[in-house]
Amino acid sequence: MLSRMAQSLYWIGRYVERAEQTARLTEATFHHTLAMGSTTEAESRRDRHWAALIDIVGENPAFPSDGPAADEETVPLHLIFSSEDANSIVECITRARDNARTMRHQVATEMWEALNRYHLEVTRPAQRRRAASGAESATRLCRSVVEFSQLLQGITDSTMPREEGWYFLQAGKFLERAEWTARTLDVNYRLLVGDDAESGDRFALAAAARDLQPWATLLRSLSAYESYHRIESRGIQPKAVIELLILSAVLPRSIRFSIGQVDAALAHISEQAPAYNGSEPMPGSGTESEARRQVGRLHAEFAYQRLDDLLDRGLHTSLLDIQRRCYRIGDRVEDEFFAHRPLTAQAMMA
């Protein structure tokens, strides 16, 4: 497979996953904040949650202290429609569609039509007007993004041969998912425990258990609420929520599961990588792949990791380290497997 085509599939996986995660978090934040009431204190709490969402997607520069307030009117429109935000839903869908267009003959007709059709739908001016009319319309649009992403995943599952292209698509999707879960959990943890975090993570988690509704919202934003209750019989417990989202080997949106999928995808790619002139191994193949070494090491650490180890180190520090290692893995994938950087600028959050 040409590196340009592999790269396009890799970034389609990343962009669609990024759009879905942004939509899930925006919808969950709407549902959570609308139930807070209309008092001055409730309004302040709502604004903190919208500011936290901006922190998760890395768009703090768009809302400086002397600029527009980060609230339920400004944040959703920015995250859904902004052409200046490389991580906005519309921009991600547009870039995924543009990458598919450059390799139109390499993807199934159903996959192209789904991407192109939804791109035309979400970029219509009427969509922005409806989303700006109220929370109900905005949440309906976010729900349509999630449904589109799930539709596209179903199409790719049923139409793509399990060859290099498929595994590049999976590597991009799950690497993006691991980063988002780590960032979402990190920002929400700091929001929910507040100043108690300075007294130690175990004490902070015990204090945070006084209000369990935000932890339920966190699970819903990562599509893990029902799964949590099937796995955990004691009800919502902050420590159990964190352990599930980081270390579960069976939850599709946990960090461990996602990194495992990236590891498996890179292993398949390396096994299928051809040799130059039939003799020397392709850069990035087999044991020579630094990307595979880094993701394999991280996956192995998760297999033997305990939540207490992460808490002893400091949960924020541990999650920040996971994010940085995911960024480095992404850089190594770019350097080893692709001949050039993406068509569109990388929109990675630091």
Side-chain angles (χ1 to χ4, degrees):
M1 167 170 279
L2 294 176
S3 63
R4 177 180 58 81
M5 296 178 184
Q7 187 180 35
S8 293
L9 287 166
Y10 172 82
W11 279 98
I12 288 172
R14 297 204 70 156
Y15 285 136
V16 173
E17 181 67 21
R18 192 175 299 177
E20 180 184 347
Q21 293 283 15
T22 302
R24 284 184 181 278
L25 289 169
T26 304
E27 182 183 14
T29 304
F30 262 124
H31 287 311
H32 182 60
T33 56
L34 287 175
M36 289 182 177
S38 56
T39 65
T40 302
E41 181 182 355
E43 184 176 347
S44 178
R45 290 174 57 202
R46 280 199 299 270
D47 290 348
R48 285 199 299 272
H49 280 275
W50 286 111
L53 179 55
I54 286 295
D55 194 14
I56 292 172
V57 300
E59 279 299 301
N60 300 83
F63 293 87
S65 57
D66 58 346
D71 56 29
E72 60 195 32
E73 295 183 0
T74 58
V75 172
L77 289 180
H78 180 81
L79 295 183
I80 297 173
F81 295 105
S82 176
S83 59
E84 298 177 357
D85 175 10
N87 300 307
S88 73
I89 291 172
V90 168
E91 282 296 299
C92 287
I93 298 298
T94 299
R95 293 180 179 196
R97 184 256 190 190
D98 288 346
N99 275 283
R101 183 171 54 84
T102 64
M103 50 177 300
R104 173 68 183 82
H105 60 291
Q106 292 290 327
V107 299
T109 299
E110 294 93 334
M111 181 178 175
W112 162 251
E113 288 180 348
L115 260 171
N116 191 49
R117 186 185 307 115
Y118 192 71
H119 169 261
L120 294 174
E121 173 65 23
V122 80
T123 54
R124 291 171 53 199
Q127 284 284 17
R128 185 183 183 99
R129 291 196 296 270
R130 280 198 292 268
S133 66
E136 183 178 351
S137 297
T139 54
R140 191 180 301 119
L141 177 58
C142 289
R143 175 50 45 185
S144 76
V145 174
V146 174
E147 291 171 352
F148 155 72
S149 176
Q150 294 172 338
L151 170 65
L152 189 67
Q153 290 180 51
I155 291 173
T156 56
D157 285 352
S158 60
T159 61
M160 285 192 71
R162 279 11 179 208
E163 298 174 338
E164 282 184 332
W166 161 262
Y167 291 111
F168 275 113
L169 185 72
Q170 298 304 300
K173 177 176 75 174
F174 282 103
L175 185 59
E176 187 75 22
R177 184 174 295 182
E179 293 178 13
W180 270 88
T181 300
R183 280 198 307 274
T184 302
L185 182 55
D186 181 29
V187 173
N188 277 276
Y189 171 75
R190 288 183 280 127
L191 174 67
L192 295 178
V193 303
D195 296 335
D196 290 334
E198 298 179 1
S199 303
D201 282 346
R202 287 184 176 81
F203 176 82
L205 288 174
R210 292 192 295 263
D211 183 8
L212 298 178
Q213 183 57 41
W215 295 96
T217 299
L218 173 61
L219 288 170
R220 289 191 178 95
S221 70
L222 293 171
S223 191
Y225 183 79
E226 289 81 7
S227 298
Y228 174 87
H229 285 287
R230 283 197 293 270
I231 296 171
E232 179 58 55
S233 60
R234 296 174 299 168
I236 294 179
Q237 301 292 329
K239 189 173 180 179
V241 170
I242 293 171
E243 185 171 19
L244 180 80
L245 294 177
I246 298 177
L247 298 176
S248 173
V250 296
L251 182 71
R253 293 189 180 275
S254 78
I255 300 174
R256 176 182 174 183
F257 183 94
S258 300
I259 291 298
Q261 293 299 304
V262 178
D263 188 19
L266 292 185
H268 282 283
I269 292 167
S270 298
E271 291 168 1
Q272 298 176 19
Y276 287 125
N277 301 322
S279 57
E280 297 182 6
M282 173 182 176
S285 65
T287 56
E288 292 191 356
S289 171
E290 180 64 17
R292 187 179 175 189
R293 187 192 71 81
Q294 290 187 17
V295 74
R297 180 178 178 180
L298 182 57
H299 186 217
E301 289 177 14
F302 278 124
Y304 297 98
Q305 188 75 262
R306 298 180 305 171
L307 181 59
D308 286 342
D309 298 330
L310 301 177
L311 295 177
D312 289 340
R313 185 183 179 190
L315 190 61
H316 171 60
T317 300
S318 299
L319 290 170
L320 197 59
D321 179 62
I322 292 170
Q323 294 173 60
R324 288 169 176 164
R325 294 174 72 175
C326 286
Y327 300 155
R328 288 197 293 269
I329 291 167
D331 286 340
R332 296 310 302 170
V333 169
E334 288 282 344
D335 293 338
E336 293 177 11
F337 294 103
F338 308 141
H340 55 276
R341 290 293 174 177
L343 273 172
T344 51
Q346 284 194 42
M348 302 302 295
M349 285 75 75

